[in-house]
Structures are given as structure tokens and as C-alpha cells.
């Protein structure tokens, strides 16, 4: 029988993002984010921005990771009267934070990963003084967590940008946004640094695309990689500043790390696999080793441009501002073969795996593989900051859900995580399950794609009481945490 008990001090918790969880979009002086313009959607019709053209017509250029249509320079987003925008209310953590933190503490969480909403602190991103009401909100959240000895793990920027920074400067394509980001970071470190040790400079920085997260209107090739370089510099500068302002603080950035397998052992498929995998390693290597990898040149070449522009001093900054640990999300694995385009979600099908209702292949061993791969390569601690199963839950009249499928998914993944730590020797700081309290899906804008241990009474259009109730998995996870993983081997 495998030993699934984890080392003392292992961090157990959950993870959320402001625009999917918090709501209160026009309260407390918060400004607008690019995400606030995204309508709800479905698997067939993922959500997209609505934009008003100069002639008054409305267009809907897609904005999420899965689309990359360029947005015309004059397009300005508007709110449509008959549309529903999930980020506006989300599941209203803004007004439920005390109850939600108590519920998470009830499971024994000793860490909670949440993101700070940039436009709650700097409403347009360009102000010189922060918004005190916004700062106070996160002060209250952090102090509430402290009552339960719950460590904050703060994502400084979760795929978002104050909309003004996107429109006025074409997002991260401008170095001006580096200064705005650093002003925002300094404010956070100054205000919360006495209570917060763990920080993430960016969420899924390897998946940022398009008008939303990266904020650029054009999202492939030169513009995209130049914007990403500015994010690398911003991250490294934030790490340097954070270490100075908060001795002992630990900085990571978060990567979307689906595992990737070659579809066959044909040498051409193996080679293509290496090339496509490097499109992810590019981000981790640069930020965690502190310099651009040699293969970057070939990657740019295959994307049709000859390189990025660096300013004097950038190289030194990247070297000095290396990450302390590598964190990642893991939901699935993909496969690739010669001739497949660059990595996009999907790739070639894998006949050995079953998929979720949203078509995501389920691969627990892939998590162990992934943890080993990162640790072998980077030799710094890792942190699993997102993992979980998005599923349709049937709640009874009390909001109770018999979610054995979720327990199974988590049991299998957590067992492989324990194997990576206890057998393979991977240094892993902790695990935060995605969406411990049901929240809005990023990719589709749906509510019915639920991840939580805690059910929220709300439908895809925001109707419902927002009442929270425990699912079956709540008590199961509580037992896993109180035995520090040992109970993974028990029957549920
Ligand atoms: C990651 C994001 C999260 C989250 C998660 C699940 O990519 O960092 O914000 O939402 O994926 O994805 P989805 O919500 O589309 O099911």
C-alpha cells in the first residue's frame, strides 16, 4: 500500500480568481476589467467580448484563450442591455467572504489562493494613488483568514487588466504597463507584506492571449511575444522589489501545465512533441532560470518573426528576479504528432483516457509525470495551485450533492501527487484545489461547470439565492486534510 501521508507543513487549500468569484464589480470604487465585458456562454459558444465599432455596429470578436482574432484598433467595448455578464456578480464573495472563509476553514485549509482585482486597487491602472476602499476589502479578507491560521497565496494578476490599460496602451505591448504593474505591486507589498508570504506574479502566463489577459489587440507572433517579454520584466522586477520589501517572501508565477505526450513513438512525432512542449517551457525556463533558452530563436522563427526587442538592463533583471518556486495548474493531458499545429487545447486524441463532460481528458498519472518533469528541469520547489473536476452537479432540496465522481477524481490525482512527493522525491509546497466554492467557468462563462466542495445556488444567468451548502466531497476532503493525506487510501 502506497504511503500517502505528506510531509509536515504541507499546504492544503483552494484557489479562486477575482472576476470568477468576487463580484461587486461596481462597488467600493472598483474600475472595469477587460473581463467585465465578457458575456456568458456555453461549451459550444464560449464567451466573448462585445465591442462597439465606430459606425455604431456591435461586433463580437472572440477574446478568450481559444480564439485569437485581432481586435480592430478603434473598437471600444460596450455593455449590451440584454446580455448577462458573469463577472459582475460572480458568486459574490465580496459580500460572503466571512462565511466562505469559515467554510473553507471548516475543511482544515491552511492556505487560500485568491487573486487581487487590479482595478479594485487602481481603477484605471494609471492613477498615482490607490483606492483605499479596495485595499480595505483585501485587508478584511486577509485578517479574516488569519483568524483560522490560513496563509494567503496571492495572485497579483489573474489573466486580467484594467480596461483602460488595454485600450489606451494596447496592454502589455507597452512598457508603460510595467510601471503601472510595479506601482500596483508596491502598494500590495506595502499594505499586506506583514501577513503574506506567498505570491504569484501572474496566472497562466503561458496561456495569455488576445485582448483579455495580455491586453493586446493582436495576439500572435511578434506583438504577443513582445508583450510577454514585458510581463517577464515586470515579474522579475516585482520579485526583486518583493524580496527587498518583505524578507522571506516567496515568489512564483503560475503556468498552465497540461501534460503533453507524443501521439506515437514515431521519431517525427517525438520531435514535434519536443518543439510544442518547448512553447510552454519557454515561459518557465525564462522566469525560473533567469534567462531566455537557446531554442527561443527557433520558436520565434517558426512563428514567423525574428525576435523580441530587449532594453539595456533587461537581461540582468531577468537573472536577478528569478522565481523561488514554480506553480502550475493541472487538469488534463494532451497529445501531439508531426503536422499538428502549435499547442492548443486538444491536440490529437488519446485512446487510453476518458474525458470529462467538457471533453478534458482525465489523467492522474500525468500529474505525477508533470511534477517530476518540472522539478527535474528547474530544481526549485513546486506548488500545485489548480486542479479539479468541472462537472454538472444535481443538488437536492437542501443543496446537498452526492459528488462521488469528484471524490474519485481528486483521490486519484492526490494519490499520484503523494507518489511524486514520497516516492520520486519531488519538493512540493502544497496543493490548492480549483474552485473550492462553486464559481464561474473561465473558458465558457458557465455556472453549471462546477468544481466545488461547496455548492452555490446560482444558475448560468445569475439567478438563485447564492446560498452555500456542503457537498459530499466536503467531509471527504476534510478527512484527507486532517490526516495529512493518509486517508486517501480509505473508502469514502
Ligand atoms: C485555469 C484558470 C482558472 C480556471 C480554470 C478552470 O485556466 O486559471 O481561472 O477557471 O482554468 O477552467 P474553466 O473555468 O474553464 O473550467
Amino acid at each position: 500500500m502506497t504511503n500517502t501521508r505528506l510531509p509536515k507543513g504541507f499546504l492544503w487549500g483552494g484557489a479562486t480568481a477575482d472576476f470568477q468569484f468576487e463580484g461587486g464589480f461596481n462597488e467600493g470604487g472598483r474600475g472595469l476589467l477587460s473581463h467585465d465585458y465578457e458575456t456568458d456562454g456555453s461549451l459550444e459558444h464560449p464567451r466573448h467580448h462585445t465591442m462597439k465599432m465606430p459606425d455604431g455596429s456591435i461586433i463580437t470578436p472572440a477574446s478568450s484563450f481559444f480564439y485569437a482574432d485581432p481586435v480592430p484598433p478603434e473598437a471600444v467595448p460596450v455593455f449590451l442591455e440584454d446580455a448577462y455578464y458573469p463577472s459582475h456578480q460572480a458568486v459574490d464573495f465580496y459580500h460572503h467572504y466571512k462565511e466562505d472563509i469559515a467554510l473553507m476553514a471548516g475543511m482544515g485549509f491552511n492556505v487560500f489562493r485568491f487573486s487581487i482585482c487590479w482595478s479594485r486597487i487602481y481603477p484605471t491602472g494609471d492613477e498615482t494613488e490607490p483606492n483605499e476602499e479596495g485595499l480595505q476589502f483585501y485587508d478584511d479578507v486577509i485578517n479574516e483568514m488569519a483568524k483560522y491560521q490560513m496563509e494567503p497565496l496571492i495572485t497579483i494578476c489573474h489573466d486580467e487588466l484594467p480596461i483602460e490599460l488595454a485600450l489606451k496602451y494596447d496592454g502589455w505591448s507597452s512598457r508603460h504597463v510595467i510601471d503601472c504593474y510595479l506601482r500596483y505591486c508596491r502598494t500590495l507589498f506595502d499594505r499586506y507584506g506583514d501577513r503574506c508570504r506567498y505570491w504569484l506574479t501572474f496566472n497562466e502566463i503561458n496561456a495569455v492571449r488576445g485582448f483579455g489577459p495580455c491586453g493586446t489587440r493582436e495576439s500572435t507572433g511578434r506583438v504577443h511575444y513582445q508583450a510577454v517579454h514585458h510581463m517577464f520584466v515586470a515579474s522579475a522586477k516585482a520579485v526583486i522589489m518583493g524580496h527587498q520589501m518583505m524578507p522571506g517572501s516567496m515568489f512564483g508565477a503560475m503556468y498552465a501545465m497540461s501534460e503533453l505526450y507524443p501521439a506515437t513513438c514515431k521519431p517525427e512525432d517525438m520531435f514535434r512533441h519536443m518543439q510544442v512542449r518547448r512553447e510552454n517551457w519557454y515561459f518557465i525556463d525564462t522566469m525560473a532560470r533567469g534567462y531566455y533558452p537557446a531554442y527561443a530563436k527557433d520558436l520565434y522563427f517558426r512563428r514567423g518573426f525574428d525576435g523580441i526587442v530587449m532594453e539595456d538592463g533587461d537581461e540582468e533583471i531577468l537573472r536577478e528576479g528569478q522565481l523561488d518556486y514554480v506553480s502550475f495548474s493541472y487538469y488534463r493531458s494532451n497529445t501531439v504528432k508531426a503536422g499538428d499545429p502549435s499547442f492548443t487545447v486538444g491536440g490529437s486524441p488519446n485512446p487510453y483516457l476518458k474525458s470529462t463532460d467538457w471533453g478534458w481528458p482525465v489523467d492522474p498519472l500525468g500529474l505525477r509525470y508533470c511534477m517530476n518533469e518540472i522539478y527535474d528541469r528547474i530544481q526549485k520547489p513546486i506548488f500545485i495551485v489548480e486542479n479539479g473536476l468541472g462537472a454538472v452537479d444535481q443538488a437536492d432540496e437542501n443543496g446537498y450533492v452526492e459528488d462521488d465522481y469528484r471524490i474519485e477524481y481528486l483521490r486519484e490525482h492526490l494519490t499520484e501527487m503523494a507518489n511524486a512527493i514520497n516516492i520520486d522525491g519531488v519538493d512540493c509546497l502544497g496543493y490548492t484545489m480549483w474552485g473550492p466554492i462553486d464559481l464561474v467557468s473561465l473558458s465558457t462563462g458557465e455556472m453549471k461547470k462546477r468544481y466545488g466542495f461547496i455548492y452555490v445556488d446560482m444558475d448560468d444567468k445569475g439567478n438563485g439565492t447564492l446560498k452555500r451548502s456542503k457537498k459530499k466531497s466536503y467531509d471527504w476532503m476534510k478527512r484527507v486534510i486532517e490526516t495529512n493525506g493518509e486517508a486517501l487510501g480509505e473508502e469514502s
Side-chain angles (χ1 to χ4, degrees), residues 46 60 141 272 307 319 356 378:
T60 57
V141 167
R272 182 65 186 141
R319 204 168 36 244
T356 69
I378 306 297

Side-chain angles (χ1 to χ4, degrees), residues 22 93-94 97 120 133-141:
E22 196 174 281
F93 175 69
Y94 193 69
Y97 71 92
R120 204 176 273 296
E133 259 190 280
L135 283 171
Q136 188 58 49
F137 171 65
Y138 296 108
D139 247 336
D140 295 344
V141 167

Side-chain angles (χ1 to χ4, degrees), residues 50 91 142 182 184 196 218 234 237-238 251 269 289 295 301 308 326 331 344 350 361 365 412 417 424 439 459:
T50 50
V91 293
I142 292 165
L182 290 171
Y184 165 52
C196 301
E218 196 191 304
K237 284 188 160 183
F251 279 80
D269 291 348
R289 305 198 299 205
Y295 60 77
F301 175 74
I308 51 161
V326 176
Y331 293 94
T344 46
N350 186 336
L365 188 56
E412 290 176 356
M417 175 186 83
D424 307 330
L439 40 62
D459 69 13

Side-chain angles (χ1 to χ4, degrees), residues 15-25 30 33-36 38-39 47 64-66 84-94 100 112-117 120 138 155 157-160 203-204 213 254 329 331 360 385-386 390 434-451 456 458-460 462 466 468:
T16 62
D18 54 281
F19 59 92
Q20 295 171 265
F21 191 47
E22 196 174 281
F25 92 114
R30 177 187 181 282
L33 293 174
S34 39
H35 284 296
D36 293 332
E38 291 184 4
T39 60
R47 60 207 177 125
S64 81
F65 307 147
F66 309 112
Y84 173 63
Y85 296 93
S87 74
H88 295 193
Q89 169 181 262
V91 293
D92 200 27
F93 175 69
Y94 193 69
D100 289 352
F112 171 42
R113 173 184 174 222
F114 62 95
S115 71
I116 292 192
C117 175
R120 204 176 273 296
Y138 296 108
T155 316
C157 180
H158 193 114
D159 305 0
E160 68 184 33
N203 183 68
E204 293 197 344
M254 196 280 222
S329 62
Y331 293 94
W360 293 16
V385 298
E386 281 188 34
W434 175 251
I437 299 175
D438 290 343
L439 40 62
V440 177
S441 158
L442 174 79
S443 54
T444 68
E446 288 167 300
M447 186 63 202
K448 68 168 176 288
K449 187 179 187 187
R450 295 171 183 272
Y451 285 87
V456 175
M458 192 184 113
D459 69 13
D460 285 344
L466 297 178
R468 275 71 166 145

